[in-house]
Amino acid sequence: MYRRYGVKRRSLVTAVAAGTPAAIVLASCSQGSSSGGQDAGVVTLNGDRADFTDAYELAGAELEKITGYAIEPRNVPSTENYQQVVRSSLQTSSTTDLVKWWNGYRLQDLARSGGLADLSGQWDSAAEKGWVNPETRDSFSYDGKVYGIPMYKSYWVIFYNRLVFDEVGIAAPTTWDEFEDNNAKLRDAGVTPLFATQEAGWTSSIWFAEILSKLDPQFYTDLTAGEAKYTDATAQEAMRIWAGMYAEGYFTAADVAWDSEPSLLASGEVAQVPMGTWRNGTFAEAGLGEGEYSAFLLPPFDPATAPSVIVESGSISVAEKAPNKEAALETMANWLDPAVQRPWVENIKDTSANPQVTTDDPVLETVLEAVSEQEPTELVRYWEASPPALIEGGVQHLGAFMADPTESNIMPTLENLQSLADDEWARWDAGS
Amino acid sequence: MTLLEKPRAEAGEDRPRPRPGLPLSTRDRLSAIPFLIGAVALVGALLLVPFIATVYQSLTRDNGFTSTFIGFENYLNLLENPTFGRSVLNTLMWTVGTLILPVGVGLLIAVLTNSVPGGRWLKYVFVLPYALSGTATAVIWGFILRSDGALNQAIEFFGGEASTSGWLLSWPTNTIVMIVASTWQATGVTVILFMIGLQAIPKEVVQAGELDGASGPRLFWHIILPQLRPVTVVVIGMSIANSLRVFDLIWLLTKGGPGASSETLAVTMYRQTFILSDYGTGAAVAVVLSVIIVGASWFYLRHQLKRG
């Protein structure tokens, strides 16, 4: 009896132990409750931004006047779970009609699976009406066809606390030297000049991309497209500038909570944060009133270098197997209509991808004025500019550099990045 | 095991049972099947089928859309990946750490609070964190351990020099402080189990030891500790399983970073599957982790049951 009980118990332990990790992996394959099932008069839209729900409904109300179809938003709060839900449901009939996604290589990754509908007609018609910048077509395309319509247009700028700037007696910089000078004055006044953290993972790419793009925008484009190497002299120079700024004591600690960024800017503990304009609303919510904060475009490292700005666009795609596909295509044909975009961007407090739609938000106005004055080259954000696996692995190496931002760590970091880039570009080109 | 075995053997004498060596009749075997169906179906559907599917998935290149059979390539890639080696090393550190700390500290607290006045209440201080979820524990320790957190502020307040490299930013410090955070949370249950074990020790045995002149550490080492063996078997078994599957605390405190330096196998499995969408490699890590958990559990239980 003893032996038999012993064997059974061991078998159970074996089964439980073996099954647990396996069940975790397989649980991912469930499609989630946020897809499928709907009324005929609406198109469903799945996304990972619960804070956009009201804005989706406002835009949907305008769309209903034009197309007869409103938007029924659904949300998966975690971005990681959301990507999982879309990957497993996109090729089935239980997908939502519209899917929020990212542009660039992330969109290509989804488009080449065959799960997205061709939106070239809708894009061309919007471009003809002047509703979208035709130069951005490539970052929404795969193999010459358009698969996403821009959701918004976020410029990557430096937000700053005006009260702190006034107190220290400095103004928004127009050259890199002024920027460095400001940082030194802020540090000497006991304020941390710049926010930087690797705590949220992806955030470690922000300063690398900002410095590199201001040093040489063309090299930034080549590097992210796999046509230049991380070990090239320009990338080394960008890392040296970054390490130098760390040595000067300009940055926050590398493990500061990403969530604390708005409150640190609002309290004046940190004077400047590099961020997409999509976070504009969060700074206002953190207690910064009108006139208490503003934003500037980070100047080029060398005044002779052409100005550039990193731009980020969420995208909306139509599922190839959308239950209400015709309505979804019609919705996308009208998404960039100024009547739809106005209430949409007013609610999300960001800028529209439709250049005809203006904003009355003072901070965004300042950004748009700077853009129209400097006419900077628009660059795709690092996060979307290379194959996803390369970026996800790359931010780990950059995060490790931020934890040890020394001169001696520059080459090991860049060599790791290049080795990763070699592997991931080969995998991407092989189509896996 | 000796104590548990005896009543079972005695109870068995009261009812008829097949004589040893005589096989069960086919009818007896068939009549047992309906009683097994429920349990077999549950274990099969929830554990065995997912496990077999995961083993198959680990032999494929799978990006969530398409899947190609590639044999053992994922496993070979793992062996060449330095991140995976670090992940195995961290998992080993967690296993050793959670064997020494929660078990050792739990035993110490249980013994000390058992013998001091007011100890009954004092032990709740140590037991309370066990009521917190892993997520809440991570949030609290995040406030303590970050460079701008409570620990560095306290060090500076008392005139010390705060860690410039950050508690969570360099290996192996980040793994060690997270093991300490996990100990803070997990010690509660070991204290409870050891308390139960201590209360179950017959007073006569302790008194007999005292009469023979044993006291202090000698009494503890030779009289009390051997009596706690059955509880210790359970506590160590639980600690091994808990340490191998640790995830929430690491994910919320460091996301396995910086640069994958604090990843354990459970974190690597999650990152490969959900962040990199490399389902084949994620499944291969899951299989490796399963083999380690099963191997460790099997070795430990077999060893303990034999001794029992």
Side-chain angles (χ1 to χ4, degrees), chain B residues 216-266:
Chain B
R218 204 182 157 97
L219 181 74
F220 172 75
W221 196 252
H222 291 288
I223 308 290
I224 295 174
L225 199 60
Q227 299 281 324
L228 286 176
R229 197 172 163 275
V231 176
T232 313
V233 169
V234 174
V235 171
I236 291 179
M238 280 172 53
S239 290
I240 291 174
N242 285 342
S243 66
L244 288 169
R245 65 183 176 82
V246 62
F247 173 78
D248 44 5
L249 195 68
I250 301 175
W251 191 250
L252 287 159
L253 279 174
T254 66
K255 281 191 181 283
S261 66
S262 58
E263 270 188 19
T264 59
L265 285 171

Side-chain angles (χ1 to χ4, degrees), chain A residues 1-10 12-29 78 80-81 83-84 86-88 90-91 101 106 109-110 112-113 198-202 253-257 260 264 388-390 392-393 395-397 399-404 424 427 431-432, chain B residues 1 4-5 8 15 17 24 43 46-54 57 61 63-66 77 83 145-148 165-170 245 251-260 263 269-271 273-279 281-283 286-287 289-290 293-294 297-298 301-302 304-306 308:
Chain A
M1 289 299 281
Y2 170 83
R3 237 169 219 297
R4 293 170 71 96
Y5 269 92
V7 169
K8 275 188 183 172
R9 186 177 298 168
R10 281 207 298 272
L12 186 64
V13 170
T14 308
V16 170
T20 308
I24 294 168
V25 168
L26 275 201
S28 65
C29 296
S78 147
E80 284 144 22
N81 292 350
Q83 295 190 33
Q84 194 56 45
V86 170
R87 279 177 180 273
S88 54
L90 193 65
Q91 312 244 28
W101 205 247
R106 286 176 192 258
D109 193 25
L110 212 57
R112 69 179 182 178
S113 73
Q198 55 81 48
E199 187 259 356
W202 70 275
D255 59 352
V256 167
S260 66
L264 288 172
L390 168 53
E392 298 282 3
V395 295
Q396 283 201 316
H397 294 307
F401 177 76
M402 288 173 76
D404 177 23
E424 292 303 339
R427 278 170 80 112
S432 69
Chain B
M1 287 314 292
L4 287 172
E5 229 181 309
R8 199 184 290 145
R15 52 184 167 76
R17 56 175 181 169
L24 286 168
V43 172
L46 297 177
L47 297 171
L48 297 180
V49 172
F51 182 67
I52 291 164
T54 303
Q57 197 173 32
R61 180 175 292 136
N63 64 0
F65 302 122
T66 54
N77 289 342
T83 305
L145 295 172
R146 294 215 167 89
S147 298
D148 58 347
S165 59
W167 299 102
L168 296 169
L169 289 173
S170 59
R245 65 183 176 82
W251 191 250
L252 287 159
L253 279 174
T254 66
K255 281 191 181 283
E263 270 188 19
M269 174 178 80
Y270 183 86
R271 197 170 59 82
T273 310
F274 298 108
I275 306 292
L276 300 178
S277 301
D278 187 347
Y279 295 76
T281 306
V287 171
L289 183 55
S290 302
I293 295 179
V294 171
S297 308
W298 179 79
L301 288 177
R302 189 182 159 89
Q304 290 305 325
L305 292 177
K306 255 188 191 167

Side-chain angles (χ1 to χ4, degrees), chain B:
Chain B
M1 287 314 292
T2 327
L3 288 170
L4 287 172
E5 229 181 309
K6 211 171 177 185
R8 199 184 290 145
E10 284 167 359
E13 282 164 15
D14 299 339
R15 52 184 167 76
R17 56 175 181 169
R19 270 175 290 165
L22 198 73
L24 286 168
S25 71
T26 313
R27 199 181 152 171
D28 280 347
R29 284 174 189 276
L30 288 175
S31 65
I33 290 174
F35 294 99
L36 293 173
I37 287 175
V40 169
L42 264 179
V43 172
L46 297 177
L47 297 171
L48 297 180
V49 172
F51 182 67
I52 291 164
T54 303
V55 170
Y56 174 74
Q57 197 173 32
S58 74
L59 304 174
T60 64
R61 180 175 292 136
D62 186 342
N63 64 0
F65 302 122
T66 54
S67 169
T68 333
F69 187 83
I70 53 164
F72 288 93
E73 204 178 303
N74 288 327
Y75 292 94
L76 295 173
N77 289 342
L78 280 184
L79 288 177
E80 288 170 6
N81 187 345
T83 305
F84 180 72
R86 171 65 62 86
S87 183
V88 172
L89 180 62
N90 282 336
T91 309
L92 193 71
M93 282 174 68
W94 270 92
T95 310
V96 173
T98 48
L99 271 183
I100 296 170
L101 287 175
V103 177
V105 174
L107 178 63
L108 196 71
I109 292 167
V111 170
L112 293 180
T113 55
N114 200 37
S115 53
V116 297
R120 203 175 144 199
W121 299 106
L122 190 61
K123 72 169 184 281
Y124 288 116
V125 174
F126 300 99
V127 171
L128 263 178
Y130 186 62
L132 294 176
S133 68
T135 311
T137 308
V139 170
I140 292 167
W141 281 86
F143 287 137
I144 295 171
L145 295 172
R146 294 215 167 89
S147 298
D148 58 347
L151 183 56
N152 277 354
Q153 286 176 19
I155 291 171
E156 279 168 10
F157 179 79
F158 289 110
E161 202 168 312
S163 158
T164 47
S165 59
W167 299 102
L168 296 169
L169 289 173
S170 59
W171 187 87
T173 317
N174 48 13
T175 296
I176 293 168
V177 293
M178 286 193 286
I179 292 171
V180 171
S182 164
T183 302
W184 176 79
Q185 200 246 348
T187 302
V189 71
T190 60
V191 171
I192 293 171
L193 290 170
F194 279 125
M195 290 294 288
I196 294 166
L198 285 170
Q199 279 157 16
I201 296 174
K203 281 198 172 61
E204 297 81 9
V205 177
V206 181
Q207 281 166 355
E210 282 171 343
L211 281 175
D212 285 343
S215 64
R218 204 182 157 97
L219 181 74
F220 172 75
W221 196 252
H222 291 288
I223 308 290
I224 295 174
L225 199 60
Q227 299 281 324
L228 286 176
R229 197 172 163 275
V231 176
T232 313
V233 169
V234 174
V235 171
I236 291 179
M238 280 172 53
S239 290
I240 291 174
N242 285 342
S243 66
L244 288 169
R245 65 183 176 82
V246 62
F247 173 78
D248 44 5
L249 195 68
I250 301 175
W251 191 250
L252 287 159
L253 279 174
T254 66
K255 281 191 181 283
S261 66
S262 58
E263 270 188 19
T264 59
L265 285 171
V267 177
T268 305
M269 174 178 80
Y270 183 86
R271 197 170 59 82
Q272 290 288 345
T273 310
F274 298 108
I275 306 292
L276 300 178
S277 301
D278 187 347
Y279 295 76
T281 306
V285 178
V287 171
V288 171
L289 183 55
S290 302
V291 167
I292 293 175
I293 295 179
V294 171
S297 308
W298 179 79
F299 177 81
Y300 177 72
L301 288 177
R302 189 182 159 89
H303 188 65
Q304 290 305 325
L305 292 177
K306 255 188 191 167
R307 286 181 66 183

